[in-house]
Amino acid sequence: MTTSARPWLTPRTHRDLLAERADLVRARSTGDDPDSIVQNRHRRARIRRIDHILRAAVVGEDPPDDGIAEPGMVLTVRYDGTDTAETFLLGVRTGTKQDDLEVCSPDSPLGRALAGARPGEERTHRVPGGATVRVILVDAQPYGKFRRPAR
């Protein structure tokens, strides 16, 4: 069972984070100049963040197939006033797509707005410019079910 307190990762995202952490450990800046000190501070902070994510992560475990929006679900949404649907994975972002899906963080304004939504429900969230946007959940299915080829 996944919860919003536990980050949800695809196996690929898990591997990407492990590789990033290994690269960061190897990439220690040398020198006492201010730039090296700042780079090391940022590098150590990122390692701590990755460690925090990996310690608590749920890796590839599908949430229940109940149609409720939560981490590990592929969500299809429609923004109010448009007929265009958008599909994305609700999970931890690493900067790469997962199976050609964009990834939306559960901690983002959109992710928080959709948490617990059922198909047909309308939710609102604020965008960085301050406007309020309405979004309707069209569908929610577990990531594993989404990426399995149709028979």
Side-chain angles (χ1 to χ4, degrees):
M1 177 88 172
T2 61
T3 68
S4 60
R6 296 188 66 199
W8 192 93
L9 307 173
T10 65
R12 178 178 168 191
T13 300
H14 185 255
R15 285 190 306 272
D16 290 350
L17 286 173
L18 288 171
E20 180 184 355
R21 187 189 188 289
D23 289 345
L24 288 167
V25 167
R26 282 191 299 271
R28 183 172 184 268
S29 297
T30 57
D32 294 334
D33 62 283
D35 286 342
S36 291
I37 292 169
V38 169
Q39 286 176 352
N40 276 328
R41 220 176 264 148
H42 288 299
R43 184 185 54 76
R44 284 191 306 268
R46 180 62 182 156
I47 290 170
R48 282 191 304 274
R49 175 73 179 130
I50 291 171
D51 286 346
H52 175 76
I53 291 169
L54 292 174
R55 244 189 324 274
V58 173
V59 181
E61 181 183 314
D62 277 343
D65 190 4
D66 55 10
I68 298 173
E70 66 177 294
M73 298 292 271
V74 174
L75 307 181
T76 301
V77 300
R78 187 172 40 80
Y79 292 95
D80 190 41
T82 70
D83 291 330
T84 305
E86 181 179 313
T87 300
F88 54 85
L89 171 64
L90 194 60
V92 172
R93 291 183 58 124
T94 61
T96 58
K97 289 183 176 183
Q98 298 297 311
D99 293 321
D100 292 325
L101 287 171
E102 291 294 332
V103 180
C104 178
S105 169
D107 296 326
S108 70
L110 177 59
R112 285 192 307 269
L114 289 169
R118 294 178 183 277
E121 283 187 29
E122 182 179 293
R123 302 286 178 96
T124 61
H125 71 284
R126 288 199 186 273
V127 293
T132 299
V133 176
R134 289 188 298 191
V135 61
I136 299 164
L137 181 64
V138 175
D139 186 48
Q141 58 180 296
Y143 176 74
K145 180 179 176 183
F146 176 83
R147 55 182 268 261
R148 274 190 216 105
R151 292 178 191 231

